[in-house]
């Protein structure tokens, strides 16, 4: 029987690329996000281009009642999730704390931290019960370093690191794997979201260097999930060759 992966934030970027690569490598997929039209487009493409069965669930990870409704709507084979990729996340704004926008902080913490906890709370008991499964959390270089003007985003990704490490220990007795993957800059909708739709500012982030692309991270995820049962990749940090830390770049 094929394995089932649930990917949060599959409407763009890393989540979408992960859906595409997993569909080509033997997974059936539950794809999620808030933009229903994009979920429908991806579902149609995957069904056309791969053998995967695809189920779309449109919900906001910040809303516990929506997350509960979505997970509780799963029936039959779809209840049996083998792989959860906690990918939905975002940075909003780039200001020092002394000039920060409270709503931006709340969006980041509610999505990156609380949303990840909500969905993990609902899916992981099923993995515990069957003593198998795999959870991969999208962290960031911002979960390992801090930089000025990124306090809330960095805090949210440090929290992802803490949650990942704690869950790894909690799920150890049940043989459930847990990993985090921490990229440097990846050219997705990330910067457009961070700069609230300012395309020029977003494009400048990637100017003069070669960033990572979403597929680079999807390939790393495929590597993680294709390791044998006795191997757990606890964490992976992946940088563009042109980036050595959160703030050190080689621009030409
Ligand atoms: P994108 O903006 O391209 O994708 C983000 C995804 O998250 C979208 O599918 C979006 O879907 C989903 N999402 C955001 N908020 C919510 C929400 N409230 N409820 C449900 N889904 C949500 O960015 P990336 O692909 O780059 O980001 C994916 C992850 O990778 C994030 O956790 C990010 O922090 C992390 N990351 C990104 C890096 C980068 O440089 N790009 C570097 C390091 C880590 P929708 O809008 O349809 O809801
Ligand atoms: C995204 C990478 O350096 O903007 O997580 O925090 S960074």
């Amino acid at each position: 029987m094929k394995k089932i992966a649930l990917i949060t934030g599959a409407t763009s970027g890393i989540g979408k690329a992960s859906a595409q690569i997993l569909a080509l490598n033997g997974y059936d997929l539950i794809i999620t996000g808030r933009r229903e039209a994009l979920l429908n487009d991806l579902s149609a493409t995957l069904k056309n281009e791969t053998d995967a069965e695809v189920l779309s669930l449109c919900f906001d990870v910040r809303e516990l009642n929506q997350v509960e409704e979505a997970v509780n709507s799963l029936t039959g084979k779809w209840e049996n999730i083998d792989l959860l990729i906690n990918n939905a996340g975002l940075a909003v704004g780039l200001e020092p704390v002394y000039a920060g926008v409270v709503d931006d902080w709340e969006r980041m913490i509610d999505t990156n931290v609380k949303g990840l906890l909500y969905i993990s709370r609902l899916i992981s008991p099923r993995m515990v019960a069957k003593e198998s499964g795999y959870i991969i959390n999208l962290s960031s270089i911002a979960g390992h370093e801090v930089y000025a003007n990124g306090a809330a985003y960095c805090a949210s990704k440090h929290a992802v690191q803490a949650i990942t490490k704690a869950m790894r220990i909690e799920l150890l007795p049940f043989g459930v794997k847990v990993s985090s993957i921490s990229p440097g800059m990846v050219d997705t909708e990330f910067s457009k979201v961070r700069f609230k739709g300012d395309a020029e500012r977003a494009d400048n982030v990637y100017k003069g260097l070669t960033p990572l692309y979403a597929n680079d991270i999807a390939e790393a995820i495929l590597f993680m999930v294709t390791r044998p049962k006795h191997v757990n990749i606890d964490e992976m940090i992946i940088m563009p060759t042109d980036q050595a830390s959160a703030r050190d770049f080689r621009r030409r």
Side-chain angles (χ1 to χ4, degrees):
M1 209 164 74
K2 290 173 81 171
K3 288 189 171 181
I4 295 176
L6 187 153
I7 305 172
T8 65
T11 54
S12 73
I14 295 166
K16 183 177 179 181
S18 301
Q20 286 165 325
I21 209 162
L22 291 174
L24 288 168
N25 284 276
Y27 279 80
D28 288 333
L29 294 175
I30 304 170
I31 54 173
T32 81
R34 293 166 300 177
R35 288 172 290 177
E36 194 161 22
L38 294 182
L39 287 175
N40 292 340
D41 289 350
L42 178 61
S43 175
T45 307
L46 294 175
K47 285 175 183 168
N48 265 337
E49 294 177 1
T50 74
D51 294 337
E53 285 186 44
V54 183
L55 184 75
S56 301
L57 292 176
C58 185
F59 65 89
D60 187 326
V61 294
R62 293 172 296 179
E63 301 293 335
L64 180 58
N65 60 335
Q66 289 186 29
V67 181
E68 284 173 337
E69 200 176 308
V71 173
N72 292 336
S73 74
L74 297 170
T75 55
K77 75 167 200 167
W78 296 110
E79 284 185 81
N80 188 28
I81 292 162
D82 299 285
L83 170 64
L84 166 63
I85 303 185
N86 279 317
N87 164 76
L90 77 179
V92 200
L94 198 63
E95 286 92 18
V97 171
Y98 63 77
V101 179
V102 172
D103 184 58
D104 292 351
W105 299 342
E106 284 173 347
R107 284 177 65 192
M108 288 186 271
I109 290 164
D110 288 352
T111 310
N112 301 356
V113 184
K114 289 168 69 181
L116 182 150
L117 284 169
Y118 293 162
I119 193 133
S120 300
R121 175 67 185 89
L122 291 164
I123 305 287
S124 58
R126 299 167 187 212
M127 296 179 172
V128 166
K130 63 177 181 169
E131 299 201 351
S132 81
Y134 195 173
I135 299 173
I136 299 178
N137 294 329
L138 253 298
S139 180
S140 168
I141 188 65
H144 300 264
E145 299 177 28
V146 295
Y147 49 86
N149 308 328
Y153 181 68
C154 292
S156 77
K157 290 299 181 179
H158 276 69
V160 171
Q161 285 299 106
I163 293 164
T164 306
K165 287 177 185 168
M167 285 179 73
R168 169 87 174 102
I169 299 164
E170 292 163 359
L171 294 171
L172 176 67
F174 306 102
V176 174
K177 297 189 187 192
V178 183
S179 303
S180 70
I181 184 160
S182 296
M185 63 163 60
V186 191
D187 187 1
T188 61
E189 292 181 8
F190 179 86
S191 292
K192 213 167 110 201
V193 172
R194 168 170 259 173
F195 298 123
K196 303 176 182 176
D198 183 337
E200 195 184 335
R201 207 170 162 201
D203 289 345
N204 279 338
V205 171
Y206 310 110
K207 217 164 232 166
L209 54 70
T210 307
L212 295 168
Y213 299 103
N215 199 51
D216 297 318
I217 307 307
E219 284 182 345
I221 288 174
L222 182 65
F223 177 79
M224 286 175 153
V225 303
T226 50
R227 290 316 84 208
K229 196 174 162 54
H230 68 284
V231 177
N232 190 83
I233 309 279
D234 280 11
E235 58 179 277
M236 213 188 250
I237 301 176
I238 306 179
M239 304 295 281
T241 304
D242 284 343
Q243 180 184 11
S245 79
R247 283 294 167 262
D248 288 295
F249 306 102
R250 176 173 180 242
R251 294 190 196 269
R252 294 177 292 278

